[in-house]
Amino acid sequence: MDHMLINEQLDEIYAEGHDKKKIDFYAPESPREEVALLFIHGGGWEKGSKEQWCDVAKHFAQLGYFCASAGYRLTDSAVYPAQLEDVHSAMQYMKKQSSRFGFNPERIVVIGSSAGGYLAAMMALDAAYKESLPQAVILYCPVTTLEMEGEFLPRFMGCPREGNEELYREASPYHRITGTEPPFLIIQGDADVLTPYEQVAAFHEALLENGVHSEIEVLEGVSHGFGYGIATPAQQKSVQRMEAFLQTHFSA
């Protein structure tokens, strides 16, 4: 791969009101691709940072993709749906930078890991935000349903599951599929105990059953949260799979 200069614009404020509402841009000096990539970090909605995706974003910027990585309010300051509202705001701010950086604002792919995978999926499944609908979604070990175990879930939702079952169901990607969604690529370790393979595979199958294009890449022996980097075998395989997916769906 030829070395390409990357213009980094970090910590831009995409919306007022909280210091997590910032976005990092990684702009190739000579973009080779029209499509742009928006990365969303995980951490159970209560930790993590946009900087986690730095190495992966720089890798794709080297390939000619304009890349961004967005932060969002965590559960110490806000609960659902604030996090989803934030990433939609980040997408809208990003789209407004298209002439500045030279990418197509109608060809943005959203990538998320774990809780960030949940937010990425919900961006494609939330009809209230049609203006920030991604053109494709790539999910690493995503949270696909809130009907699962985890002490972080009530903190995210702002209420216990008991007595609020319908709200938890309504906020679950699995129950929002309509058949109108863009293509999905899901990358999942089969040794993941936090977002088990069975739950993620069920989401993948539900997409297919509703006529949505969905691909799943299963990484043998890989556990949760493997994706932030380009060094390990799992990370390298994931990046290669993403490159192939992008070329299939967005090549000129």
Side-chain angles (χ1 to χ4, degrees):
M1 180 174 61
D2 296 334
H3 182 72
M4 182 181 294
L5 289 175
I6 304 300
N7 176 20
E8 297 182 27
Q9 300 291 324
L10 309 179
D11 286 328
E12 292 199 13
I13 297 170
Y14 65 76
E16 299 291 343
H18 196 278
D19 64 1
K20 290 290 186 182
K21 295 183 182 183
K22 294 180 180 178
I23 191 167
D24 295 339
F25 293 136
Y26 302 89
E29 186 178 62
S30 302
R32 299 187 184 121
E33 307 290 343
E34 271 198 343
V35 67
L37 311 181
L38 173 60
F39 292 87
I40 304 173
H41 72 83
W45 306 286
E46 58 188 12
K47 58 185 178 181
S49 71
K50 58 184 171 52
E51 289 78 15
Q52 289 173 265
W53 280 117
C54 175
D55 288 347
V56 181
K58 285 183 177 180
H59 172 83
F60 280 95
Q62 287 283 350
L63 295 178
Y65 294 92
F66 175 77
C67 295
S69 183
Y72 52 88
R73 284 172 289 175
L74 303 176
T75 52
D76 61 350
S77 62
V79 299
Y80 173 86
Q83 292 75 17
L84 185 57
E85 293 169 352
D86 287 355
V87 294
H88 279 296
S89 293
M91 166 80 93
Q92 288 301 298
Y93 180 83
M94 178 181 175
K95 291 176 78 167
K96 291 175 182 177
Q97 313 310 311
S98 59
S99 59
R100 172 185 168 196
F101 290 114
F103 65 90
N104 187 336
E106 302 307 319
R107 289 165 69 88
I108 297 177
V109 177
V110 179
I111 300 111
S113 175
S114 191
Y118 168 91
L119 294 172
M122 289 288 279
M123 290 181 78
L125 295 161
D126 192 339
Y129 293 94
K130 290 185 183 297
E131 71 278 5
S132 50
L133 178 72
Q135 295 305 110
V137 182
I138 299 174
L139 308 178
Y140 282 65
C141 51
V143 175
T144 56
T145 176
L146 303 189
E147 298 170 311
M148 60 185 288
E149 298 303 317
E151 295 179 359
F152 59 94
L153 289 171
R155 292 194 287 270
F156 172 57
M157 294 298 291
C159 60
R161 179 184 291 108
E162 185 177 356
N164 296 287
E165 289 84 1
E166 188 56 36
L167 177 62
Y168 273 65
R169 178 183 173 88
E170 183 272 339
S172 295
Y174 179 84
H175 294 296
R176 282 180 169 248
I177 300 168
T178 65
T180 62
E181 291 75 25
F184 276 72
L185 168 63
I186 304 170
I187 306 172
Q188 175 71 24
D190 66 2
D192 193 330
V193 296
L194 186 58
T195 57
Y197 167 76
E198 291 75 17
Q199 287 182 358
V200 176
F203 178 71
H204 164 66
E205 291 297 331
L207 288 169
L208 294 177
E209 289 168 5
N210 280 274
V212 180
H213 180 94
S214 181
E215 305 170 24
I216 189 166
E217 181 74 31
V218 182
L219 304 177
E220 185 176 352
V222 174
S223 56
H224 192 76
F226 58 88
Y228 300 117
I230 57 172
T232 71
Q235 291 167 349
Q236 291 170 358
K237 186 171 185 179
S238 300
V239 165
Q240 291 167 3
R241 191 68 176 78
M242 288 170 63
E243 290 174 13
F245 178 81
L246 292 169
Q247 284 299 309
T248 297
H249 291 280
F250 296 101
S251 60

